[in-house]
Amino acid sequence: MRNVIVTDVPRPALTDLDRLARYGVATVHEALGRTGYLGPGLRPVQQGARIAGSAVTAVCWPGDNLMIHAAVEQCRPGDILLVTTTSPAMDGLFGELFATALQHRGVRGVVTTTGIRDTEELRAMGFPAWAAAVSAQGSVKATAGAVNVPVSVGGQIVRPGDALLADDDGVTAVPRTRIAEALEKAQARAEKEEATRAAFQRGELGLDRYGLRPLLDKLGVRYLTAGEYAREEGES
């Protein structure tokens, strides 16, 4: 890894990010072919927050948050700070003071593969956060890393300027070049789900809505009465 701070990252239009935020993580992830999800290890420290923003990445060494300080300077309104480390670490690299600085700059939230602390204060100030752990363990400021370079999170490559969408279900990334596609496909999926929801409210079954009965038959699934099942199992 090169020790660099990239300063002029292209970003999506804020209007596109605002539109993306209308859809949930699950909807966008499914709409783009089940890609982009950053994994179940990133959990929200609050409930009910849904944000979309442009990724600013910070790569730190374990137990060291120097590069988060450097990343704050590169953040703009509409960004989400994404923090990773060079090897797995759960130390509390991010807390309320960082959130205060980022909130002043119009940053919409933070996502970190490390630990986070001051969670009560973060909730009180309305600064959304997703993290791999909650940890009071402190950190140092001693080792160079990188800001605004591509990072790997949950098997997904996230590049600076990609969109991040986060809600109660976790976090998904949308490449900047696919945001228009994501908006179109997410809207189509939302409309399809609304039609299905209405059908279920009328009492229609998923087996019929999705045409699953032939599949059950193909897989050899049989319908038996309780008596037939008991006889086949040799029950008295």
Side-chain angles (χ1 to χ4, degrees):
M1 178 187 66
R2 297 173 62 194
N3 300 136
V4 297
I5 298 173
V6 182
T7 62
D8 57 347
V9 172
R11 288 166 166 82
L14 288 178
T15 52
D16 287 342
L17 294 172
D18 292 340
R19 289 177 59 201
L20 192 65
R22 300 173 190 169
Y23 305 104
V25 166
T27 295
V28 174
H29 164 66
E30 293 275 3
L32 287 181
R34 298 180 181 177
T35 62
Y37 179 50
L38 302 190
L42 298 177
R43 303 304 305 143
V45 302
Q46 69 288 304
Q47 293 293 308
R50 177 182 293 171
I51 61 172
S54 177
V56 169
T57 66
V59 182
C60 299
W61 282 71
D64 192 313
N65 66 5
L66 173 63
M67 300 315 291
I68 299 180
H69 286 278
V72 170
E73 183 182 27
Q74 302 307 315
C75 288
R76 302 178 187 173
D79 287 344
I80 293 176
L81 178 62
L82 175 60
V83 180
T84 66
T85 47
T86 55
S87 60
M90 296 294 131
D91 301 317
L93 298 190
F94 187 97
E96 175 259 339
L97 293 179
F98 272 135
T100 299
L102 291 175
Q103 197 170 60
H104 174 76
R105 302 179 78 84
V107 174
R108 294 179 171 179
V110 64
V111 175
T112 177
T113 64
T114 72
I116 206 163
R117 61 184 187 174
D118 303 331
T119 55
E120 180 180 358
E121 289 80 2
L122 294 178
R123 287 190 290 269
M125 65 191 292
F127 189 83
W130 287 257
V134 173
S135 173
Q137 177 65 46
S139 57
V140 301
K141 302 161 183 59
T143 312
V147 173
N148 278 335
V149 298
V151 298
S152 176
V153 179
Q156 305 292 322
I157 299 299
V158 182
R159 293 175 173 80
D162 285 350
L164 294 176
L165 174 63
D167 63 16
D168 288 349
D169 291 337
V171 185
T172 196
V174 179
R176 187 168 59 90
T177 56
R178 298 190 69 188
I179 291 177
E181 176 190 357
L183 289 170
E184 178 182 354
K185 291 183 175 180
Q187 178 61 32
R189 184 171 181 85
E191 292 172 358
K192 181 179 179 181
E193 289 181 348
E194 179 56 36
T196 300
R197 185 178 300 107
F200 287 170
Q201 289 170 343
R202 296 192 301 268
E204 186 174 350
L205 295 174
L207 286 173
D208 299 314
R209 181 83 181 170
Y210 301 131
L212 298 176
R213 294 190 189 277
L215 177 60
L216 290 178
D217 184 63
K218 180 180 179 181
L219 295 174
V221 178
R222 300 164 57 208
Y223 282 84
L224 300 175
T225 67
E228 290 169 336
Y229 179 79
R231 284 192 297 273
E232 291 192 6
E233 292 296 310
E235 299 176 6
S236 58

